[in-house]
Every structure is written in C-alpha cells, then in structure tokens.
Amino acid sequence: MRRFVSAVFLLAIGLVAPLAAQTRVPVKLEPGREQPVDAEATAKIRQYTTAPEFNSPLTDYLPASATVPSPGAVLGDVAGAPGILPYTEEVHRYFRMLAAASPRVRVISIGTSEEGRERIAVAVSSEANLEKQAENDARLAQLADPRLLKLGGSDGSRFDDQRAESLITTSVPVYYITGTIHSPETGAPTALMELAYRLAVDESPYIQSIREHVITLITPVVEVDGRDRMVDVYRWHLAHPKATTPLLSYWGHYVAHDNNRDAMGLTLSLSRQVLDTYLGWHAQVLHDLHESVPFLYDNTVGDGPYNAWVDPILTNEWQLFGWTNVAEMGKLGMPGVYTHGDFDTWSPGYLMFLAAMHNGVSRLYETFGNRGADTETRELDPDDTSRTWYRQDPPYRTVSWSQRNNNNYEQTGLLVSLAFVAENRELLLRNFWEKSKRSVTKPEREGPAAYVLPAGDRRPGAQAELLRVLQLQHVEISRADKAFTVTVEGGGEPSESKPSDKTAKPKTTTRTFPAGSYVVRMDQPYSRAADALLDRQYWSPDDPQKHPYDDTGWCFPALFDTEAVRVTDRQVLAAPMSRVDAPILPRGGVTGSGPVFVIAQQGDDAMFRLRYALGDATVEAVAEPFRTAKSAYPRGTWLVRGIAQDALDQAAAKAGVTVEAIAAAPKAATRPVGKPRIALLHTWLDTQTEGWWRQRLDRLEIPYTYVSTQDVAADPDLATRYDVILFPPVGVGDPSRIVSGLPLWGEPMPWKTTPETPNLGTIDATDDQRPGLGFAGLDHLRRFAEQGGLLIAVDDTARLLIDTGMAPGVRVADTEGVRVVGSVLDARFPDPASPIVDGLGDRLSVYSAEGLSFELSNAAVGGWADEEGDRPTGRGGPKDTDGTQGRTAQAAPPAQGTVERWEARPLGIEELRRSSWGIIPEALRPRTLVRFGDAGDLLVSGLLEHGDQLARRAAVVEVPVGQGHLLLFAINPIWRGSTIGSHPLVWNAILSLGQRAPVSETGVSR
Ligand SMILES: [Zn+2]
C-alpha cells in the first residue's frame, strides 16, 4: 500500500487561529490510517491508472461511506474510467445526490447558458462552516471592501487593521474551482465529482483540515452547451470506432476556445456567471482547469510579461502556489509537474483572470488529456519533455495515458492546493485584505484617481456599452451632478486613449466636464478591473518574450471609439456625483411632433438594430449635415417616414436612440436606407471567429440566414435569396483550405441531430463536415456579387477572394518585418464622404490580428506602385537631377502626382499602350475606404514593430464587381465583443452598399 509509506510534510506549522484551536491542524499530507476504503472502486482506480507513478497516495484509493453515494452511483464506474464521459445533466445529478446525502455539500444554481442548460456551483466544507456561511460571508465581504472598515483618517491609520485582523483569524477562505470550460478537455467533471466526494466523506486528518478551514466551491462544467456536444461526439466515436470522429464544430453556442478570452467583455453567460459567483461568495482563489499540456503544467507562474495592472502581492502568490504544487506533487512521486513555462499572463481575457482583476488569486492547470475517455499511447513533443531548470522531472516522451491518469493529477494538484490554503488561510486572507486596501487607495498611490467619460460623447451608445461592461465587472459608476473642473494631462482634448496627442509632451491643463459625465472612481475595491480595461497597453518590440500568448492590446475606450479621460488629479473625487446602479442605457424616444422623424447618425449598434425594428417604414440618409429648429445633425442622419409615432417611440426607447419629429424634411439630397437580406457564411473547418459576428447579430436582433460553405456550393442563385453575405474570418491559416475542406477519403463525418447525438446539429447541420466551399461555391459567390450582392470578407476570407482572382487590382501588401500581435491601431478615412464611415469621426482605432494590409492597382495584372527608391549615382545631391555632358538638357518627364500608399498609382504611358485588356475600367477599380494611420500615430495599444511598413496602407477596400461589390477587410471589425467602435463599418456597408434600391441623383451610393 504505497499510500502508507509516503509521509510528506506540507509546510511548517502555521499560526493557530481561534477556529482551528478546536482541532489541531494536521500537517501531514497523507491519508488517514483508519480511513475505510471502498475496495472495489480502489481496485478499479488502480486498474485504470496506466503506471503507479501517475497516481498519488491521496487519490489511489476511494474512501468508503455508508451513507453518501460515490460518483459510481451515476457513472456506473469510478471517475476517469475508460469509455465514460457524463453529460452535464449527469454530473449535476450526482452533485445533487451528494448534497442530499451529505450536510457538507450544498448545490446552488448559478444561471443558465445561451442554450438554456443550467450551471451550478457546489460548496463543500464542514457542516458548521456551511451552516454559518452567511456569517462567514459577512466577514469576507468586509475584507473585500475596506471602505466598510474605514477609520476616517487620511494617513496610514485610515482603515481598521485591527478589526480586519480579527476577521482574518476567524474567517474561512473560499477556493473556487471551475472545470471544462474547453469542451475537448474532458476530464475535469469526473475529477471534480470524485474530489467533492472525497472532501465530503474522507476522514483523513488533512481532509478534515481542508473541510474545516476552506470552503471549496466547484463549478464542474463551465461550458455546459459544449460539454454535451463533446459527449455526443465521443459517444458517436464509441459507436463507430473505425470511422474518423467528427470535428467538434461548435463548443458553446457562439465561440469555442475563445470562451476563455471573454473575461474583459463579459459577453458570454459563462463569464458573467462565474464572476458573479466568485464575487458573490467573496472568494479568494479562482482555479480554472484545462487539459492540453502534459502532465501537470501549473501555468500560474508562466514566463511573463505579467499584466501591468495587477498587484505585486498577487504575482508573488502565483509563485507561492505554483512552486508549492511542484514541490509537493514531486514529493508525492508524480513526474512531469512544473510551473514556469509558456504563458505570459499579460491579457486579462482569461476566465481565471477575473480573480486577478478582483483582488483574488488566479490559477490555471493544464493537465494532460486525450480528448475523450479512451486510453491511448501518446508521443509527446520534445519541447514538453525536455529536462530543464524549471522541470527537473519532466513528462515522458512516450506514454500510455488514460482519463484516470488525468483525474489523478487534477485531484492531487487540487488537494495539495486546498491543504496549502487550509494551512495558510491567514496569509491568504491577509493578502486579500491588503490587495483590497491597495485597490481602494489607488488614487493616492500609483493612480489614476478616476477615469471620466464626458457627457455628450459623439458615440453615446458605445459609451453606454463600455459603462455596462464595467458594471458587469462589478465596477461602480458615478455620474456628475454638476460640472466640475480638474487638472488633466495633455491638451485636455481629446482623450489620451486616442493617439493624436500621445506624441505631445505631457503638459497639464484644466478641463471642465459637464454635468452628467460619468466618473469611474479608483477608490473602490475593483478599481484594477476598470484600470486594466480603460488604460492603454504597450508591449515593447524588444521584450524578451517573443511569443505573446494572446492579444497584446485591448484598450477599451479606443476600441469602443469613446472618450475616457485618465485623471490623476485627486480633486476629481471631490466633485459632486451620485452612484449609478441601474444598467446604463442612453435615453431614447421621440420628442416633438410631425410626420418626419430625424435620427442623428451616431454610428451606434442601436441604429442598425432600429433599422430592422422599423419594419416597412421609409428610411433615408441625408447626404449633408443640416439643422432643424432644435438641433444640428451630421451627414448620414436618418429621416424616417411612414411609421406611427407611438411605435417608433417604443422602438427608439428600447434601442436607446433619440428621435426628433419635425413637420417637413430638410431640403437635402438623400439616399435610401433599406433592410437588406443578410446571410452569415461559415465553414465546417472552424466556427469560432465567425461566432463573435453571429453573437453580435443575435444581440442586436438582426434577422439573418446562417449558411455554410456547403450551402453556397449547392446554390447557384444566391442573389435571389440574399443581398449581403458576411464571410467572417475562418482562422485556418491557408485560405485555400476553405475551398478544399477536409480530405474526402474515408467515411462521412456527420454533424446532425440523431438519437445517438441529440446535441449536435442544432446550430447548423451537415451529413458530412468534409466538403468545403469548392470551386462551384467560389463561382457562386462571384455570381452573387456580379448580380448586385455585397460580399463582405475579412482577413483570410478576403485573402481567399484575392488569391482566386475575384478582386482584380487588390493584393496583400508585402510589409516586411511588421510585427503585430492582436494590437489596436490607428485608422483614417481617405473619403470622409463615404457612407461606410457615417457616424464616425475623422479617425478610428481598429483591431489588427497580425498586421494584414492591402495594396491597390488599376490593372488586373501588374500596375503596383513601387516605393520611391534612391536616385542613381550622378551629379548633385540626393534630390537633384542628373544630366548628360555635351547635350542640351531634355524636358523632365511629366511630374506624377503623389500616390498615397492606400491608392493605386496612375498607369504609365507604356502600360496603357501595351496592356489595354488588363486595365480595370474606371467604374470597377478598387478603392480604399479605410487606411492605417501615419507611422507616428499608428500604435494605439499593444505591440507594433516596424510600423512604418504598415503605415498609411489600405485596411478596408471596396471592389466593384459587376452590379455588386466586394468589401475586403484587413482588420477584424467584430471581435470578442470589444470592437464596438468599428462595428459601423459593417452596419453602414450593409445598409448602403447592401441594397439594390435605385440610387438617388446625389450618387452617394454606387
Ligand atoms: Zn483549455
């Protein structure tokens, strides 16, 4: 019995708290000698573990209980048994059985998913702790918000540290564990079922200590929709062992892996519910379980750079937890446990980072999984198996691996961590208190004092959405009761989150903000969450970390195209203001009277929603700015007729859009604003990036048809069904794969609803995932555009259209050396009168994944501009003209006008003479609607190297094709719920280029 010979000391004895005084805290991390054992289950555990060292003395047996059911009651076998993956409902059923049988377990429903599946949290602790949970929570709530323990002094004594210390020594910390956010990472639910069972019934002294000193909170399945689909796919695989398993085309309802990048925007129910649960319980740790690295990579430590807004106390806690895990699991005899490694902890987009931004401890395990419950021989990457200073005992190169092995590692790691917290609860709570205090005292320490979002922002809808995101982050928002004046850095206008003033020397001036301006005070407990989202990011090109793990920039005010002024002047906190607790929505509705309704063009998502909500009303956009008796309106403002005032009032109030009713329309040129029929096009290779587009259309209640590349391949008459096809990025690297799909050898790979797979085929379905767009599909897209359709393609789908000759005169720019990794860049509008940029100012911050840009030509072949080179050797200086000795000087060739980088150059005499067949007719020439900013302004946030190569190049290009258009995006305008600012580029295109209605005489629309 290995577990009896391994006696391991966790840590030196900690302080004995009053609560702990009743029982001596055991320090040995080992099972109790008297612990009754379930012999049958124990034998199974050992049978399913592929080598003794892949288990620990803590988990190589199952405790027996006469009254409490073990996971076998639902699973029919032990956790991690081969061939068994429980559905969400089965996992939840087990936890409810456990709660019914044990007073040490409680199950709470925390909400439902996009598809209506329940999410739960399970609390496991001693009976006494759960009985007094409300009192304990009241203590933790005070440690979480030091303003509740205020003494009033402005010096060091302003908080009641003595009282805090008494709370620290009498409180039980909460450790929150979340499982299987990533659906192919399948082990966590069973590991957590067994962990909860152990914590509930095992009487080993170290488990008793965990029960007594920790409340363990568990959400066993975070991505509940994706879990059920994954189980379907796995069961299909068991039923068809020789066939190729279908790809897991959908995880959650909208996105796949990116569900772990939503902790900033909080657009997914899973992010919001985990955060609400975490903060609702005033937890100290959020520990998220993943399974894509052998054997246990505690990526809490990672390798930097660390997020610039987290408290150093936290980064030291990462080290403390991480290295303790490595040391203790090593002593327990488990190979391949390490903590330092690939992961930079820069972006706050990860689920676990919700804790980091809210004064807790964020943790993440990568254990090793087989994407299912088969036991398989695995060959590991040399990078994962090398012995190095931080991995003295690395994973094996070749290994037989089972789901049970995975469950052993996950459980052992968690037990070690929970025992560590039990022993060091006071340290953890003291740190929690300190971090909370330092969040509240931010204005007088590192600053800033507040961010101000001025009243009267040009984009009220975007401003409101940013404020609502902060509210979801549990950040307190205030509104100024009166105008106030404070010192600000820079010229005061515009915001420093916009780049125009960033090169200017920091100088201070005063600025008066009107009443109604929103203030995000930094003297609140969750100031860091706000600061990290509202500030700008800078990733040095010289940073030793050359492989950023994710986006390097995210500055929300920039990406929302709304102003947020960083104010360090603490006077801002004295301005008269009131807390705003209701969700912030701009006030909407109709004022005035008359048959013509005026809606100011403000580039808001709400206008797009409203257009479809207006039904058959007539909507026109005015081509010029104009005035009514009451207000001035910008170009692109809408005139609405043919709708009852009541109906419009209701729709406008819901959308948060203000409408003025007037007696007669202004005398100005207009163009119609239709309601084009939209299709959203996806592949069967990957639906993730498209999912962010789908999510936004759904949130705005825009009607659209969801079609796959296979549908397009089968439909030669797309133009009879749709006016606009949106083809968002696919993200598979080589765009030709979109055409080819998956190889067609072998059996079909179905994705559809059957009795065997009830959770597949609900978002879209196919008998066979393998066929791609095909050459027929490409041709159908070409015909669609030629017949008057608008095809919007982005990143790799735009590259596909370019590579296949559908966009003559456009190529991907060769920008040598440019390095962009998910950065926020400056963009400008070469034609400010284009309807595509209606509602936008004179610039925009845009999201660029990798620095893609386009180049234009007026010829179908050649005709590209050369970058101006050096002059040949000769007389004079670099700018002078050479001459030939002994002959009269010849007239200089006609001067070429300056050709901008985003433009096609005029064709030369020789090109016009020789290649008339290749010259693109004037009306069909591509033109740039959005370009990247100048080199000095280009970087708004994140990483940018050799930006001079990318500066001023084309970012969005319109290509007339037959009667219709292609619109090619080098940037991604709809990304992770965080690029609200650039949405109008898509909405405006749909509403202007996407309709076939006759064009007004102004010719604004082509
Ligand atoms: Zn993962």
Side-chain angles (χ1 to χ4, degrees):
M1 298 283 275
R2 268 175 64 255
R3 67 194 167 91
F4 294 132
V5 292
S6 163
V8 178
F9 289 83
L10 176 62
L11 271 174
I13 300 164
L15 292 171
V16 178
L19 254 185
Q22 299 148 24
T23 343
R24 295 294 298 173
V25 180
V27 292
K28 284 186 181 171
L29 195 58
E30 62 178 9
R33 288 165 196 276
E34 310 302 320
Q35 177 60 46
V37 165
D38 179 335
E40 198 187 333
T42 299
K44 294 279 193 190
I45 288 173
R46 292 174 187 190
Q47 183 191 335
Y48 301 148
T49 301
T50 60
E53 67 269 29
F54 299 146
N55 210 339
S56 78
L58 308 184
T59 53
D60 74 349
Y61 70 98
L62 196 73
S65 167
T67 54
V68 178
S70 72
V74 164
L75 299 176
D77 205 331
V78 296
I84 296 177
L85 281 190
Y87 284 109
T88 302
E89 184 277 322
E90 296 172 280
V91 176
H92 291 184
R93 178 148 41 95
Y94 173 67
F95 279 105
R96 290 203 155 99
M97 286 168 70
L98 193 59
S102 170
R104 297 167 175 172
V105 181
R106 189 177 294 168
V107 174
I108 308 101
S109 185
I110 63 169
T112 54
S113 69
E114 281 71 3
E115 296 181 5
R117 291 181 183 83
E118 187 190 23
R119 266 185 208 101
I120 61 169
V122 183
V124 191
S125 196
S126 71
E127 212 170 329
N129 285 342
L130 291 185
E131 265 172 24
K132 292 184 204 142
Q133 195 261 324
E135 291 95 309
N136 188 61
D137 187 61
R139 288 191 292 272
L140 294 177
Q142 295 175 73
L143 295 175
D145 187 351
R147 295 171 303 180
L148 301 171
L149 295 179
K150 226 169 180 169
L151 287 178
S154 59
D155 57 351
S157 71
R158 69 185 265 209
F159 297 106
D160 191 345
D161 283 310
Q162 252 184 328
R163 168 84 184 122
E165 189 59 23
S166 80
L167 296 172
I168 286 164
T169 52
T170 51
S171 296
V172 182
V174 180
Y175 193 108
Y176 188 15
I177 304 163
T178 48
T180 200
I181 184 174
H182 283 163
S183 305
E185 302 166 12
T186 52
T190 50
L192 293 171
M193 288 160 79
E194 191 175 284
L195 178 78
Y197 173 72
R198 288 178 191 282
L199 292 176
V201 307
D202 199 312
E203 296 300 338
S204 300
Y206 88 98
I207 295 267
Q208 289 187 33
S209 168
I210 292 173
R211 262 201 309 269
E212 192 166 338
H213 301 301
V214 184
I215 294 173
T216 305
L217 197 59
I218 297 169
T219 291
V221 185
V222 169
E223 180 49 276
V224 287
D225 299 332
R227 171 67 178 189
D228 286 0
R229 281 189 263 279
M230 179 64 206
V231 176
D232 275 4
V233 166
Y234 180 66
R235 288 159 68 110
W236 188 94
H237 150 75
L238 292 180
H240 308 82
K242 295 226 163 73
T244 309
T245 311
L247 304 177
L248 190 64
S249 289
Y250 298 87
W251 300 12
H253 190 71
Y254 291 116
V255 295
H257 192 266
D258 262 11
N259 60 8
N260 196 31
R261 302 294 184 277
D262 186 53
M264 291 190 267
L266 300 179
T267 67
L268 301 173
S269 63
L270 63 85
S271 321
R272 294 192 298 269
Q273 287 164 20
V274 167
L275 178 62
D276 291 349
T277 305
Y278 177 80
L279 295 181
W281 282 73
H282 298 103
Q284 282 64 51
V285 184
L286 178 58
H287 189 155
D288 195 31
L289 300 179
H290 292 252
E291 298 168 30
S292 63
V293 183
F295 291 140
L296 190 153
Y297 170 39
D298 179 333
N299 88 347
T300 307
V301 172
D303 59 357
Y306 285 171
N307 179 281
W309 293 265
V310 299
D311 194 312
I313 295 175
L314 169 62
T315 63
N316 296 331
E317 288 174 321
W318 289 339
Q319 305 280 347
L320 195 61
F321 270 106
W323 292 112
T324 301
N325 252 243
V326 175
E328 295 308 322
M329 291 182 77
K331 281 189 265 177
L332 291 170
M334 301 183 93
V337 178
Y338 64 104
T339 186
H340 177 92
D342 185 28
F343 187 66
D344 56 55
T345 312
W346 173 246
S347 159
Y350 313 104
L351 185 80
M352 60 152 176
F353 228 74
L354 290 170
M357 291 287 108
H358 295 83
N359 303 326
V361 180
S362 53
R363 303 199 68 207
L364 192 152
Y365 278 172
E366 294 282 5
T367 53
F368 196 41
N370 291 346
R371 295 176 79 102
D374 290 2
T375 301
E376 292 178 89
T377 300
R378 301 289 303 270
E379 192 174 293
L380 309 186
D381 198 277
D383 284 351
D384 288 330
T385 55
S386 59
R387 191 180 62 77
T388 179
W389 68 266
Y390 58 83
R391 196 165 51 206
Q392 183 66 10
D393 186 358
Y396 304 172
R397 275 284 272 140
T398 307
V399 65
S400 167
W401 197 257
S402 68
Q403 173 120 317
R404 180 65 217 186
N405 292 7
N406 170 290
N407 280 199
N408 295 335
Y409 271 83
E410 280 182 340
Q411 286 189 72
T412 301
L414 289 167
L415 287 168
V416 165
S417 301
L418 292 168
F420 176 77
V421 168
E423 296 277 325
N424 296 281
R425 59 194 177 279
E426 291 183 7
L427 172 69
L428 189 70
L429 289 171
R430 213 167 278 126
N431 282 356
F432 181 59
W433 165 247
E434 280 304 320
K435 286 183 289 185
S436 301
K437 268 200 308 188
R438 284 157 61 144
S439 290
V440 173
T441 54
K442 197 170 171 46
E444 66 240 49
R445 292 171 184 257
E446 73 271 25
Y451 287 84
V452 180
L453 284 76
D457 193 282
R458 190 175 43 76
R459 307 251 329 241
Q463 184 192 64
E465 180 140 0
L466 176 54
L467 290 165
R468 285 198 299 274
V469 169
L470 294 175
Q471 288 180 314
L472 292 175
Q473 293 279 359
H474 294 243
V475 169
E476 297 166 3
I477 309 290
S478 304
R479 190 164 39 210
D481 300 326
K482 293 180 190 161
F484 62 93
T485 302
V486 289
T487 305
V488 294
E489 277 169 28
E493 299 260 4
S495 155
E496 71 154 11
S497 65
K498 299 183 178 179
S500 46
D501 69 336
K502 77 180 157 63
T503 47
K505 285 201 178 77
K507 55 173 184 179
T508 56
T509 177
T510 58
R511 179 165 170 181
T512 301
F513 294 98
S517 295
Y518 290 99
V519 182
V520 184
R521 304 173 65 100
M522 292 290 112
D523 58 350
Q524 60 169 305
Y526 305 138
S527 60
R528 276 169 216 292
D531 197 19
L533 293 184
L534 298 175
D535 207 348
R536 284 165 59 204
Q537 295 74 41
Y538 178 70
W539 184 301
S540 164
D542 296 328
D543 194 285
Q545 173 61 272
K546 295 298 177 201
H547 306 285
Y549 201 83
D550 205 76
D551 288 347
T552 57
W554 54 81
C555 178
F556 267 36
L559 285 177
F560 280 59
D561 193 26
T562 193
E563 193 182 14
V565 183
R566 187 175 190 268
V567 179
T568 52
D569 178 0
R570 274 147 55 193
Q571 279 305 312
V572 67
L573 301 174
M577 62 181 90
S578 313
R579 272 277 295 279
V580 186
D581 290 320
I584 290 165
L585 182 73
R587 202 168 302 152
V590 183
T591 57
S593 65
V596 181
F597 301 101
V598 186
I599 303 177
Q601 177 56 261
Q602 293 172 319
D604 281 344
D605 276 6
M607 287 185 76
F608 189 47
R609 169 198 289 237
L610 192 61
R611 178 61 196 95
Y612 283 86
L614 287 176
D616 292 330
T618 308
V619 182
E620 292 170 293
V622 182
E624 301 298 329
F626 66 95
R627 291 196 62 91
T628 63
K630 260 171 72 181
S631 324
Y633 288 94
R635 187 179 52 79
T637 289
W638 290 358
L639 303 178
V640 181
R641 273 176 275 223
I643 186 170
Q645 183 152 342
D646 281 359
L648 180 55
D649 190 54
Q650 257 179 21
K654 185 179 173 198
V657 171
T658 51
V659 181
E660 184 189 352
I662 54 174
K667 289 193 172 51
T670 62
R671 58 185 163 78
V673 179
K675 278 187 304 165
R677 298 162 302 166
I678 301 169
L680 179 66
L681 175 54
H682 75 90
T683 68
W684 284 101
L685 296 172
D686 201 308
T687 64
Q688 163 148 299
T689 308
E690 159 267 306
W692 292 117
W693 288 57
R694 188 157 42 88
Q695 180 196 51
R696 187 55 54 167
L697 292 175
D698 284 352
R699 283 177 70 153
L700 297 178
E701 299 172 339
I702 305 300
Y704 65 95
T705 310
Y706 189 49
V707 297
S708 78
T709 44
Q710 294 175 359
D711 299 326
V712 165
D715 187 351
D717 296 313
L718 294 164
T720 62
R721 272 173 273 287
Y722 314 114
D723 304 309
V724 178
I725 296 178
L726 305 176
F727 199 1
V730 179
V732 290
D734 178 0
S736 72
R737 287 190 55 203
I738 297 166
V739 176
S740 59
L742 297 174
L744 284 171
W745 47 71
E747 300 288 314
M749 293 161 60
W751 182 271
K752 54 183 186 181
T753 315
T754 66
E756 194 176 46
T757 55
N759 301 292
L760 307 188
T762 51
I763 303 171
D764 198 1
T766 178
D767 289 329
D768 189 358
Q769 296 171 322
R770 297 172 304 165
L773 178 63
F775 295 105
L778 261 184
D779 199 46
H780 296 161
L781 288 177
R782 180 189 55 77
R783 278 180 54 139
F784 165 76
E786 281 180 351
Q787 291 173 357
L790 168 65
L791 174 57
I792 296 184
V794 185
D795 200 323
D796 54 7
T797 63
R799 285 195 284 137
L800 173 68
L801 302 184
I802 292 169
D803 290 353
T804 51
M806 284 173 65
V810 185
R811 71 176 180 186
V812 170
D814 180 12
T815 49
E816 217 178 317
V818 164
R819 209 154 69 93
V820 167
V821 182
S823 305
V824 185
L825 303 178
D826 178 56
R828 310 278 164 145
F829 314 127
D831 174 10
S834 165
I836 306 291
V837 300
D838 274 357
L840 301 174
D842 56 2
R843 61 162 304 280
L844 187 66
S845 295
V846 295
Y847 171 80
S848 172
E850 292 177 322
L852 181 71
S853 63
F854 302 129
E855 257 181 288
L856 303 192
S857 163
N858 288 326
V861 174
W864 308 106
D866 285 326
E867 295 277 307
E868 210 170 294
D870 201 8
R871 58 154 281 196
T873 307
R875 66 153 290 279
K879 302 284 178 203
D880 290 319
T881 318
D882 197 20
T884 304
Q885 301 300 316
R887 91 177 185 210
T888 3
Q890 285 186 296
Q896 299 273 336
T898 315
V899 179
E900 299 289 359
R901 262 182 167 174
W902 66 83
E903 295 174 332
R905 68 165 170 79
L907 295 174
I909 291 172
E910 287 299 302
E911 289 166 312
L912 290 167
R913 187 174 71 87
R914 278 205 303 261
S915 59
S916 53
W917 60 266
I919 296 165
I920 303 174
E922 198 88 35
L924 297 179
R925 288 183 180 172
R927 66 182 188 126
T928 296
L929 300 176
V930 181
R931 66 160 175 97
F932 287 110
D934 298 353
D937 291 334
L938 189 55
L939 177 64
V940 177
S941 179
L943 167 65
L944 175 65
E945 190 168 16
H946 298 301
D948 54 317
Q949 284 289 313
L950 185 59
R952 301 171 75 82
R953 291 194 188 274
V956 181
V957 171
E958 179 197 351
V959 187
V961 177
Q963 304 297 306
H965 301 85
L966 310 181
L967 196 64
L968 308 179
F969 281 78
I971 55 171
N972 188 348
I974 304 180
W975 175 243
R976 292 181 178 172
S978 62
T979 56
I980 311 303
S982 54
H983 288 178
L985 296 174
V986 180
W987 311 154
N988 288 338
I990 291 173
L991 295 181
S992 61
L993 295 176
Q995 60 187 336
R996 297 148 206 256
V999 173
S1000 83
E1001 73 254 44
T1002 64
V1004 172
S1005 172
R1006 281 204 269 176

